Amino acid sequence: LPTGLSQWFPALEVLDVSGTGLTEMGTELLSLPCLHTLLAKNNRLGGPGSLPKGLEQAPLARSLRVLNLSGNRFTEVPPALLQLRGLRSLSLGGNRLHGIPPDIQELHSLEFLYLGGNFITAIPPELAKLPSLKYLVLCDNKIQSIPPQLAQLHSLRSLSLHNNLLTYLPREILNLVHLDELSLRGNPLVVRFVRDLTYNPPSLQELAGRTIKTRNVPYAPSDLPESLVRYLSLASNCPNPKCGGVYFDSCVRQIKFVDFCGKYRLPLMHYLCSPECSSPCSSASQSSTSQSESDSEDEASVAAHRMQKVLLG
């Protein structure tokens, strides 16, 4: 940063030094008592000395409200930033962060936290101790699970978790009653649902084959080419006894949890003829229900539109 900055602009409130190739920000920042917005995106910050020493004791620590350091080279959240108690918006997206420090809970005024595009693998429970947080962006990381404590973020309006490694969500997340946006696309959790939603319709050949089989239309090898006779012999019965349909190449996969020897619940794959067809309980599972069906009625009756947002992201 240029020397004499505080002398030239003593009342400076907004400073944007994005895309300037900065590798460090000097002590001139510390003498800007009115600065409330600092934008330093897309630079080369992140090494030792990137931030001025004494930042947490400077007037800036009290005046700064918005700090954007996205697109830099930070491998961890600088401890000095966790002392900026007046911060309302902190952006560190597109860096090289591998974790979120538990001391993030010290930023009590924080309303917007952007940490997308890093290498974060876990969310610390302490993150739930930010009472003012409304927007939390953790997309494009390597997060595998969500701590149930996150349900304590009662002010949260938007939660972006797309493109992570999530395979499930804690039930407590349904307590986020003010949540308007929940983005989950690109996680193993929703891949199966997306596949079902993008189900490719059967080909004309398959539709014709299904009709012949379900309506018992008679035919002989002399009536059809050998390839079609062979094709018709490959029909699979839909496992739903209420359906009575068949399928050839176009089917939908569905997982059912089945009791095994009264001790285990095994995930078994069923192949259905269409997304509208519901899988039956097999003879081995007539006394059991799927994992989702075993939930209480109260949980199952949670507003459908909220659950749809969970699935569609």
Side-chain angles (χ1 to χ4, degrees):
L1 294 177
T3 57
L5 182 64
S6 59
Q7 298 176 3
W8 301 337
F9 306 105
L12 190 66
E13 296 183 354
V14 178
L15 177 61
D16 188 350
V17 290
S18 301
T20 56
L22 279 179
T23 56
E24 62 180 48
M25 291 189 286
T27 55
E28 288 297 319
L29 274 179
L30 306 181
S31 51
L32 293 172
C34 301
L35 191 68
H36 60 70
T37 299
L38 174 58
L39 310 177
K41 303 178 293 180
N42 304 324
N43 284 299
R44 291 181 288 171
L45 301 169
S50 291
L51 301 179
K53 293 182 179 180
L55 180 61
E56 56 273 22
Q57 285 87 31
L60 186 65
R62 295 184 294 274
S63 66
L64 202 60
R65 298 290 180 265
V66 177
L67 176 60
N68 193 327
L69 295 172
S70 292
N72 280 284
R73 302 177 180 180
F74 290 101
T75 57
E76 62 178 13
V77 178
L81 299 188
L82 303 175
Q83 303 301 317
L84 303 179
R85 304 299 171 82
L87 270 187
R88 296 177 184 172
S89 175
L90 174 60
S91 298
L92 280 163
N95 277 275
R96 302 170 183 177
L97 305 179
H98 287 266
I100 305 173
D103 286 346
I104 194 78
Q105 63 181 314
E106 301 298 330
L107 301 179
H108 297 297
S109 300
L110 206 61
E111 299 179 4
F112 179 92
L113 178 59
Y114 191 105
L115 297 174
N118 283 287
F119 303 97
I120 297 169
T121 57
I123 302 174
E126 289 81 2
L127 190 63
K129 298 181 180 180
L130 297 176
S132 303
L133 196 63
K134 296 180 180 178
Y135 302 93
L136 176 58
V137 182
L138 295 168
C139 60
D140 299 291
N141 278 287
K142 299 181 181 297
I143 298 169
Q144 300 183 36
S145 63
I146 304 298
Q149 291 88 345
L150 219 61
Q152 300 170 16
L153 293 172
H154 300 301
S155 298
L156 202 63
R157 298 292 186 271
S158 178
L159 176 58
S160 295
L161 292 165
H162 52 270
N163 298 332
N164 276 285
L165 301 175
L166 297 172
T167 56
Y168 70 96
L169 290 177
R171 298 186 185 202
E172 289 82 357
I173 202 168
L174 295 175
N175 295 328
L176 295 174
V177 294
H178 298 296
L179 198 65
D180 295 324
E181 297 176 353
L182 175 56
S183 180
L184 291 170
R185 66 183 183 276
N187 282 281
L189 167 71
V190 295
V191 167
R192 179 167 57 88
F193 294 100
V194 172
R195 185 186 299 120
D196 290 349
L197 291 171
T198 57
Y199 167 72
N200 293 322
S203 65
L204 291 177
Q205 176 175 289
E206 175 148 347
L207 289 173
R210 290 187 181 194
T211 301
I212 292 173
K213 286 293 186 178
T214 55
R215 298 189 179 184
N216 295 317
V217 176
Y219 65 91
S222 59
D223 300 327
L224 299 170
E226 182 182 350
S227 60
L228 291 181
V229 174
R230 190 184 310 112
Y231 178 79
L232 289 171
S233 69
L234 298 176
S236 299
N237 293 321
C238 182
N240 186 352
K242 296 181 180 180
C243 172
V246 300
Y247 62 87
F248 293 88
D249 303 313
S250 182
C251 63
V252 174
R253 292 187 297 176
Q254 184 185 65
I255 294 176
K256 279 289 186 178
F257 285 81
V258 177
D259 280 349
F260 179 70
C261 298
K263 295 182 179 180
Y264 309 102
R265 292 179 64 80
L266 302 180
L268 302 182
M269 186 72 75
H270 289 260
Y271 295 88
L272 310 177
C273 64
S274 72
E276 291 76 23
C277 193
S278 59
S279 174
C281 292
S282 66
S283 58
S285 64
Q286 287 178 351
S287 62
S288 68
T289 56
S290 71
Q291 189 174 30
S292 61
E293 291 168 343
S294 66
D295 294 338
S296 70
E297 260 185 49
D298 290 340
E299 289 172 338
S301 64
V302 173
H305 70 278
R306 293 184 61 208
M307 292 306 296
Q308 185 179 23
K309 287 182 181 179
V310 170
L311 299 181
L312 302 182

